Amino acid sequence: MPETPEITAATQRTLQGQRLKYYIENEPAGDRVDQFLRAFAAVLEFSDYRPLLDSYCTSSAKCNRCAVSCPVYLATGDPRDIPCYRTNLLLDIYRRYFTIGGAVEARFSRSFELTDDVIDDMLEVFYRCTACRRCTRSCPMGVDHGLITRLGRYALSLIGIVPKALQVSVREQLEGDTHNTSKVPKEALMNTLEFLSEELEDILGVTMTFPVDQTDRDYVFYCAVSDYLMEPETLMGNAAVLYAAGDWDKWTIGTGNYDGINYGLFYSDWHLENIIKRLVAEVTRLRGRNVLIGECGHASRSAHDFVPVFGGKEAYPVVSFIEYTLDCIRKKRITLNPDIITERVTYHDPCNIARSGWIVEQPRDILRSFVKNFVDMVPHGQENYCCGGGGGLVSVDEIHDFRMEIGGRVKAEQLQKVHADIVIAPCANCKKQLKELVEYYELPCKVMGLHDLILKAIEIPGAKSPAERAEEAALLAV
Amino acid sequence: MSVHDWIDFAKGPLFAFTFLVMVLGLLRHVIIQVSSLITGKGRRLRSAPWRRIIADALSWVIPIRHMTRGTVIFSVVSFLFHIGIILVPVLLIDHIVMWEEQLGIDLPAIGRGLADVLTLFTIAAILVLLGFRIFGSRQRSMSSRIDYLLLVMILLPFASGYAAGHANVNPLSWEAMMLTHLLSAEVLFVLVPFTKLAHIVLFFFDRISGLHWQLRPGAGDKVAHALFGEEAKV
């Protein structure tokens, strides 16, 4: 185990040799090149990627400015980790097999040819990328490398090349009995909610029964379903805000669909759309008015960006829980006690909500309102570094070493430099990856959700005060 | 034909022809992009985050805030390079005369002194960019012949134009240098629509390519059905 995440030329040399190996459920049999070209042709026929690819093929300057923006490249220094290299793998295929210029060139010269080796290269480099899209912001031309990597993953998935962990989860969500990625049955959900109610009663001293399948509510709540199993503090924080703001009778959880996760965002238009449609259908069933998304970067982005695209006439407004909480603070509907959190706190921006500039200042405004010792990492916000588990990689257990040594190395270096006691990460995937990084590099900080911290400081009329709760927690800890 | 006839030919019909090739080639790119955005995306364009996309695109006009660790030198050099290759060819007094004569366009000229400085900056910037490609292992690994060739092709009209205007640095006759200047610029005109230089117009479409996240509804199912039949499974 490395003692420090610091990146040196020597570590880069070592890391360049590390190859990514993930399980694939059914390795494609037969001619992979032919299968890939048929799959890519189908995508081009029915989707509308052609003008984008035409433009990128012609104008990509290959200036390499993107290289130093990529945390994976920074860790390895391997030319194959340059975002532009990755993008050009797919652009070369498009240019050669799907444009007239490419066909003509192939007749008269020895031009690029798609081989099994190129497929192997794509299989690896498209999943070495954490889909954080930091490179997109550094490309002077505006080439969206994240979009192209995703398209490459999509075409690969259509010939069966996709990490098994992602495929199995999506299958359960779209075709399984539980309709969620963690296979949490309705009974287990109800038990968890009951447990959360009891915990909240213990902590706060008030009774909150979670609203389930209530109709005509303002908000239908979705979080990453794994939060019901692994992040009870975040959910209790969410509940405390809704309760304190007087909105307890304005929200509901739907038992028809309670998973905000959408791995389609990472590798498939096909799945992305169908998962969004299921989410929208549940809101319609409950006659809800808004989609309220808990702390999860990719769930927030997929709902926020794709409910308007795929929702049709039922494109409900999507509200991030972070925006909701900030609104409650600004309207003085909730109060956070500024004397409870004394530790040094930093904030990790989940790429999926920060890169576009959508949610950057809101969580900081919330934190600064009750945390005295708040410090930002450098860089942060829209220019943040990915935790190293983005793009679905955090769910792929077998690439743990890659995520620690390469994908998350720059983030670990940042965490080490910021000297924070607590790092706030409002995202199920980021939290899991950061907790593993903290353990791996033995960093002296604790990873928490935003609402975990809010739960400690929120003032609720008729409930125990934050100071009382802190005392009780201290006693329990002893 | 005397060399002066060749110069007149290069300044006249050849200039008009190659310039037309460039304009029509670029126009083709614009038409394809605009029409495919309208027909392909249609109503989805309305729900696109336009404000964010446009603000981001504009922030690249003067990309100071995009200069991060490891990109500062490249960004400054590249910026100077672009200032030179936009301003000098368009606004140098000798070119203004050509625009007027050949295309009937009247533009204000920049002073010769400024044009000289910009030209020298541009030449220096091209040499630095070439240096990056040749000596930077990262850039070299990504570069193909055309990437080097285009920089040289841009260098030629700038260097020959400067030499033609400054007898003291011109190793050849004025006529030879002027002909080199005209012909190299005209070859470049023809190359523009077919090479990455087409980013003169495609830049604007690349910069708004975030629009392509507005995916086509129903396309995913159609792809799956075409490949795996109506009962396609995950």
Side-chain angles (χ1 to χ4, degrees):
Chain A
M1 182 188 296
E3 289 175 1
T4 166
E6 195 186 351
I7 297 163
T8 63
T11 58
Q12 280 189 333
R13 277 194 296 277
T14 320
L15 296 175
Q16 276 183 16
Q18 281 197 20
R19 289 287 165 252
L20 191 73
K21 287 210 174 76
Y22 51 86
Y23 299 131
I24 294 169
E25 198 173 42
N26 292 309
E27 290 272 1
D31 184 351
R32 292 192 304 172
V33 169
D34 180 58
Q35 289 176 44
F36 183 87
L37 290 174
R38 282 199 312 123
F40 198 18
V43 172
L44 293 174
E45 183 183 347
F46 296 108
S47 314
D48 46 11
Y49 288 108
R50 267 187 182 275
L52 174 83
L53 295 167
D54 284 334
S55 184
Y56 285 179
C57 270
T58 310
S59 60
S60 170
K62 296 178 192 163
C63 72
N64 280 292
R65 198 179 183 277
C66 54
V68 288
S69 69
C70 173
V72 175
Y73 176 79
L74 288 175
T76 65
D78 187 337
R80 294 197 327 156
D81 288 328
I82 298 174
C84 205
Y85 171 85
R86 215 170 48 230
T87 293
N88 273 286
L89 278 177
L90 197 68
L91 292 185
D92 281 343
I93 297 170
Y94 177 73
R95 195 184 289 119
R96 163 65 183 84
Y97 295 97
F98 299 99
T99 67
I100 296 169
V104 172
E105 198 185 328
R107 281 193 82 86
F108 296 106
S109 67
R110 274 181 54 208
S111 64
F112 167 85
E113 201 179 334
L114 179 60
T115 59
D116 264 327
D117 286 345
V118 178
I119 298 220
D120 282 337
D121 207 9
M122 289 195 291
L123 177 156
E124 174 156 352
V125 299
F126 287 156
Y127 279 96
R128 288 172 75 86
C129 167
T130 65
C132 77
R133 296 175 73 230
R134 194 166 191 270
C135 49
T136 295
R137 284 187 58 77
S138 86
C139 177
M141 208 68 76
V143 172
D144 195 332
H145 299 292
L147 183 54
I148 297 297
T149 293
R150 183 179 176 281
L151 179 58
R153 287 179 173 194
Y154 180 27
L156 281 178
S157 76
L158 293 168
I159 66 168
I161 299 176
V162 58
K164 184 181 174 184
L166 301 183
Q167 190 173 10
V168 168
S169 299
V170 170
R171 182 180 298 133
E172 182 61 28
Q173 195 172 18
L174 287 175
E175 295 164 4
D177 295 332
T178 63
H179 290 304
N180 64 74
T181 49
S182 295
K183 267 190 165 181
V184 176
K186 183 181 164 186
E187 297 72 28
L189 172 77
M190 299 306 286
N191 286 340
T192 304
L193 295 178
E194 202 178 313
F195 163 77
L196 291 176
S197 287
E198 288 165 9
E199 280 290 295
L200 279 165
E201 192 157 358
D202 278 353
I203 296 170
L204 300 173
V206 289
T207 308
M208 300 180 198
T209 308
F210 280 78
V212 174
D213 284 341
Q214 300 297 310
T215 53
D216 300 296
R217 297 280 167 111
D218 282 346
Y219 303 109
V220 178
F221 177 77
Y222 285 89
C223 58
V225 73
S226 51
D227 280 5
Y228 288 112
L229 306 173
M230 291 156 69
E231 303 293 345
E233 306 261 318
T234 307
L235 294 173
M236 286 192 288
N238 293 151
V241 170
L242 283 159
Y243 186 86
D247 283 346
W248 196 252
D249 57 353
K250 291 182 181 164
W251 75 294
T252 187
I253 295 167
T255 56
N257 185 3
Y258 39 91
D259 190 3
I261 287 179
N262 192 335
Y263 289 144
L265 181 68
F266 301 140
Y267 79 91
S268 168
D269 292 2
W270 179 27
H271 304 330
L272 174 67
E273 177 170 359
N274 287 316
I275 294 168
I276 289 290
K277 282 181 174 167
R278 285 195 54 81
L279 181 148
V280 168
E282 179 68 350
V283 183
T284 302
R285 181 181 77 86
L286 297 168
R287 297 193 299 274
R289 287 181 277 277
N290 298 279
V291 179
L292 181 62
I293 303 282
E295 287 190 16
C296 185
H298 93 277
S300 302
R301 177 175 162 216
S302 51
H304 181 262
D305 288 7
F306 294 99
V307 166
V309 174
F310 297 130
K313 288 177 184 164
E314 296 164 331
Y316 302 100
V318 175
V319 181
S320 147
F321 213 108
I322 299 173
E323 292 179 305
Y324 169 78
T325 298
L326 180 62
D327 187 59
C328 290
I329 292 172
R330 286 190 174 150
K331 289 180 176 156
K332 302 198 184 311
R333 293 169 63 204
I334 63 169
T335 308
L336 302 178
N337 188 316
D339 298 319
I340 299 300
I341 307 299
T342 52
E343 296 96 329
R344 186 175 163 92
V345 177
T346 191
Y347 176 79
H348 162 75
D349 292 274
C351 303
N352 279 309
I353 54 176
R355 193 72 65 220
S356 63
W358 174 32
I359 292 180
V360 174
E361 287 309 316
Q362 301 91 321
R364 291 180 168 79
D365 287 347
I366 294 173
L367 285 167
R368 288 194 188 103
S369 77
F370 74 106
V371 173
K372 287 194 175 82
N373 193 357
F374 175 75
V375 58
D376 255 322
M377 286 179 268
V378 181
H380 60 265
Q382 277 187 280
E383 301 296 337
N384 80 315
Y385 282 117
C386 176
C387 61
L393 301 198
V394 76
S395 305
V396 186
D397 284 336
E398 61 271 23
I399 61 166
H400 171 268
D401 288 355
F402 170 84
R403 288 191 278 111
M404 298 299 108
E405 294 273 359
I406 296 175
R409 191 145 196 141
V410 176
K411 179 52 72 177
E413 214 180 15
Q414 267 193 311
L415 287 178
Q416 192 182 42
K417 283 181 183 159
V418 78
H419 296 297
D421 303 306
I422 296 172
V423 52
I424 296 295
C427 169
N429 287 346
C430 299
K431 262 186 279 194
K432 179 171 183 279
Q433 164 76 1
L434 291 177
K435 282 175 183 173
E436 289 176 11
L437 272 183
V438 163
E439 188 182 338
Y440 190 78
Y441 289 105
E442 297 177 354
L443 301 172
C445 61
K446 189 177 176 193
V447 180
M448 295 172 76
L450 178 62
H451 286 81
D452 307 30
L453 206 64
I454 289 173
L455 179 65
K456 291 176 187 288
I458 193 164
E459 306 266 12
I460 300 177
K464 295 176 195 170
S465 72
E468 275 177 81
R469 280 154 26 209
E471 269 177 40
E472 282 183 10
L475 279 174
L476 274 177
V478 172
Chain B
M1 273 173 80
S2 72
V3 71
H4 287 280
D5 292 335
W6 279 108
I7 289 176
D8 285 342
F9 175 68
K11 266 188 177 175
L14 195 60
F15 167 76
F17 173 73
T18 54
F19 196 78
L20 192 69
V21 169
M22 179 176 78
V23 170
L24 290 178
L26 291 177
L27 201 61
R28 175 182 163 274
H29 283 302
V30 173
I31 290 169
I32 288 173
Q33 288 295 319
V34 171
S35 63
S36 58
L37 272 177
I38 292 171
T39 54
K41 302 289 175 199
R43 270 195 224 155
R44 278 167 293 147
L45 288 177
R46 283 190 215 159
S47 62
W50 279 102
R51 186 180 291 188
R52 201 166 74 199
I53 289 170
I54 290 171
D56 185 55
L58 289 177
S59 74
W60 279 91
V61 175
I62 298 176
I64 290 173
R65 75 182 175 91
H66 294 287
M67 291 198 290
T68 50
R69 199 176 66 170
T71 64
V72 176
I73 299 174
F74 176 82
S75 302
V76 171
V77 171
S78 177
F79 187 69
L80 285 174
F81 168 68
H82 280 86
I83 294 287
I85 58 172
I86 293 168
L87 290 185
V88 178
V90 178
L91 299 181
L92 181 73
I93 182 75
D94 311 76
H95 297 163
I96 298 276
V97 174
M98 270 179 76
W99 303 134
E100 175 84 57
E101 280 175 6
Q102 297 293 328
L103 308 170
I105 301 168
D106 189 16
L107 292 169
I110 52 172
R112 277 196 190 282
L114 177 60
D116 280 349
V117 171
L118 284 173
T119 304
L120 290 174
F121 266 129
T122 309
I123 291 171
I126 293 170
L127 293 175
V128 174
L129 292 177
L130 258 178
F132 275 134
R133 287 224 180 254
I134 295 168
F135 300 111
S137 59
R138 199 165 63 219
Q139 275 215 336
R140 199 172 53 237
S141 71
M142 286 292 300
S143 302
S144 51
R145 270 173 296 179
I146 189 75
D147 297 308
Y148 301 101
L149 186 70
L150 282 178
L151 279 172
V152 174
M153 288 304 303
I154 297 169
L155 179 65
L156 267 179
F158 274 87
S160 56
Y162 187 84
H166 298 79
N168 53 335
V169 294
N170 188 355
L172 307 173
S173 65
W174 177 88
E175 287 80 2
M177 206 45 94
M178 183 46 71
L179 201 56
T180 308
H181 175 66
L182 288 165
L183 293 178
S184 59
E186 283 157 2
V187 170
L188 207 54
F189 285 162
V190 175
L191 284 176
V192 164
F194 305 104
T195 62
K196 65 181 179 183
L197 301 180
H199 75 254
I200 292 172
V201 293
L202 289 177
F203 165 80
F204 299 98
F205 296 98
D206 285 354
R207 280 252 64 98
I208 60 168
S209 57
L211 286 173
H212 288 273
W213 285 100
Q214 304 290 309
L215 305 174
R216 177 179 283 175
D221 278 340
K222 284 181 186 161
V223 169
H225 294 163
L227 292 170
F228 314 122
E230 292 293 319
E231 297 301 314
K233 293 281 179 195
V234 176

